[in-house]
């Protein structure tokens, strides 16, 4: 019985750690996006990377709507830091909807 309680306590601690890490990572992505938006006036909304990405996604998905540099920064941060997922056109669109 005590082994079961100990295992349950460890499991609860792990779940708590995972949930707090996700919230911290999401705050990091929010700060990164805010920094990008502040610099948007001098750097611009588009660059070669986001243009190539938009062109690629448009070829693979006819319903693709062009995204800005900061939107790509936000989506890639959420996908890698929070969801641990790949930065595909479908995943980027889903990350920006949330």
């Amino acid at each position: 019985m005590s082994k079961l309680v100990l295992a349950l306590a460890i499991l609860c601690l792990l779940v708590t750690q995972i949930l707090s890490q996700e919230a911290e990572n999401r705050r990091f992505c929010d700060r990164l996006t805010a920094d990008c938006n502040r610099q948007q006036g001098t750097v611009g909304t588009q660059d070669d990377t986001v243009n190539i990405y938009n062109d690629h996604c448009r070829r693979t998905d006819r319903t693709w709507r062009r995204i800005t540099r900061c939107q790509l920064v936000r989506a890639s941060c959420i996908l890698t830091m929070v969801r641990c997922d790949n930065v595909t056109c479908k995943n980027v669109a889903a990350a920006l909807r949330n």
Side-chain angles (χ1 to χ4, degrees), residues 35-54:
D35 288 344
C36 184
N37 286 329
R38 276 194 299 276
Q39 297 171 0
Q40 195 164 300
T42 57
V43 178
T45 60
Q46 303 292 320
D47 62 13
D48 290 342
T49 303
V50 76
N51 288 337
I52 291 169
Y53 193 80
N54 277 323

Side-chain angles (χ1 to χ4, degrees), residues 50-65:
V50 76
N51 288 337
I52 291 169
Y53 193 80
N54 277 323
D55 292 343
H56 165 74
C57 290
R58 184 68 176 171
R59 282 193 302 275
T60 58
D61 179 7
R62 292 290 173 201
T63 62
W64 180 260
R65 292 187 349 203

Side-chain angles (χ1 to χ4, degrees), residues 6 8 10 22 27-28 34 39-40 44 50 58 77 80 88:
L6 179 62
L8 185 60
I10 291 172
E22 180 179 329
R27 283 191 301 273
F28 172 79
Q39 297 171 0
Q40 195 164 300
V50 76
R58 184 68 176 171
C77 183
T80 56
T88 64

